Amino acid sequence: METSTVSPFLDQLLADRPVDSARGWLGRLRGQALEQAHGAGVPTVRDEDWRFTDLSPLYKLAFRAPAVVPEPTPDAIRPHRVAEAAVRMVFVDGRHSPALSSAVDVLPAGLKVERLGDVDGEWLRSRLGAVAAFTDDAFVAINTAHLQDGAVVVVDRDVAIDAPVHLLFVSTQPDAAAHPRVLVVAEPSSDVTVIEEHMALHDGAYCVNAVTEVIAEANARVRHVKLQRDGKAGFHLATSAARVERDARFHSHDIAIGGRISRQNLRVALAGEGSECHLDGLALIDGRQLADTHSFVDHAVPHGISRQRHKCVVGGGAHAVFNGRVLVRSGAQQTDSAQQSRNLLLSERARVDAKPQLEIFADDVKCAHGATVGQLELEEVFYLRSRGLDDLAARNLLTYAFAAEIVDAIGVKSVVERLRAHVMARTGAQETLR
Amino acid sequence: MSTDRPLLDVKGLTASVAGKTILKGIDFVVRPGEVHAIMGPNGSGKSTFSKVLAGHPAYEVTAGSATFDGEDLFALEPEMRARAGLFLSFQYPVEVPGVANAQFLRLTYNTVQGARGRDELDPLEFDDFVREKMKLLEMNPMFLDRSVNEGFSGGEKKRNEILQMALLEPKLAFLDETDSGLDIDALRIVAGGVNALRTSDNAIVLVTHYQRLLNYIVPDFVHVMDGGRIVKTGGKELALELESRGYDWIAKAA
Ligand SMILES: Nc1ncnc2c1ncn2[C@@H]1O[C@H](COP(=O)(O)OP(=O)(O)OP(=O)(O)O)[C@@H](O)[C@H]1O
Ligand SMILES: [Mg+2]
């Protein structure tokens, strides 16, 4: 990795770690991550992986650990409630907020949603950091060096939890950096949906550096919905990593709406035969926003299935980046992989850099990919106009529809409705569809 | 036949697409209550003619005029033509992924109703209304929940076109090969649906390759288009003659 060894940004970020009270393995993990973070430095546009995403506006800023300030009122987060949720766990500037979280003693049987610090150390040790290794990425290292608070979701074997788990990360103060951490473990043949949402109650600059790890054990199903609705001056850096074991299935829905600069790394290891992943992504940006998604699907064993749909709707002078890497290792015969990247530019100045990256080392596989970048289809616009809709209404409707396909697949009704309303407002389809 | 003023009066129309002249001088008059059929070999310009009338932006009118219901058609945006009562059933209806058919149908219906100064329907009222219309075409209501035309078979798309015609109640409907791809039962149903929509005030232009359709919707006039011109016009017996003799004899006679 290209390093900028002199980085006040990094020094400040790493200096501001919580006082290390942890002993044993967790302390060592943090220490190693800290060393790694210092050594590796932060990425620049000279790194192939960061070619299009210039973080220098971030590096110019100095972030501190969040101050202890009064928590937001329940009313402030009410619009973000998920009605269907079995449980809501809220983190304010990275710290757990018992007052804003729902009571955990009424959880459905077989579901545990706990703070990192409350989880059995030995159990955690073999899982935390097992899927998102701090050696993989500079920001994962920084996150791991800060490891203190976080959410751990565990579903017992054979238990299916219908109601989603809602993890809400709220930023309340400018200039602060938070390092949220989530671990989801779905035991064999279990089923769970986790909604991870990021938002801000202010318009200042701040930094979220999140790491989420998912372990879907044999025959389990995990649906991870990530709603990145950070503030307009916010920086969002995140890695979501999943290990999908035999016959298990991982669904991911990544929605990037907020933030000035956001970077979502999505790493999925199809580690067991017959495992599947279904990855949906939507970036809906305008103004001067930049949203970057780098995904990596690792087909390590035979009979894996991966399906990916990534869409970007880019307006104003915004810039979307998509890099979809799919690796089919030599032993991964009968792999069935399809990736689709579709991008809609709403203005002359909007820009997208979309790149599939297929690396196939097995010979008996089915791999398809396609990328399109363009404006709305002339034929579609004309068809709607020939039915009486004016040009603007037709365009708004088509833009809305383009994004709605990804939104609808989330499957949690209140989230779908909330996002649909948002997409409508953004595209102007509100007027059209009344 | 009616002697009213023409619903559509096209004079000396020439049009081009991608710099290539396709229509080379078309005169075409439709009066209320009439049914016209336009036949002719592949590539002769039938769909181009219909798209030019509907206002497709890729097609450029280079000469001539068209008056629709007393208005200068080419001065109107495509949506204004639709609101004024011109309807085109597409030869290849466009798929619109992500837009539910019910939502789309209600939107177009209400937009056109509003423009005509009539009452709009809320989703519940519209649902009842559209289901009645679908019965006419023996369409399964599940097509309301699917994305517009997405994954519909050829015949299902054509039925969805005629459903839109039924909702929008056009004065002039241009049906471009609505019969192609329909099996015999579907053809009978769709033709029955079209016939049920006919009044003495509206008119229909059928673009078709097959007499089969014309057994159900009997034309007053049959036109043959070739090389961007209407090269022959006759009564319904002309279609039978074309079916048995093909188009070559017209070209030779012309
Ligand atoms: N968008 C376009 N760009 C270029 N050429 C076009 C375009 N649309 C039509 N043409 C050409 O114009 C000519 C007439 O095409 P048109 O589709 O009008 O024929 P048609 O009579 O409807 O044929 P068919 O019976 O096969 O439907 C053809 O040579 C066609 O290739
Ligand atoms: Mg045609």
Side-chain angles (χ1 to χ4, degrees), chain A residues 381-393:
Chain A
V381 174
F382 174 64
Y383 186 66
L384 298 181
R385 293 182 77 187
S386 80
R387 299 306 185 240
L389 305 192
D390 65 40
D391 187 54
L392 186 64

Side-chain angles (χ1 to χ4, degrees), chain A residues 65-86:
Chain A
V68 178
V69 293
E71 285 190 347
T73 63
D75 278 345
I77 64 156
R78 199 175 305 276
H80 290 262
R81 283 195 177 180
V82 173
E84 301 91 333

Side-chain angles (χ1 to χ4, degrees), chain B residues 47 91 176-177:
Chain B
S47 293
Q91 182 175 359
D176 192 355
E177 297 203 21

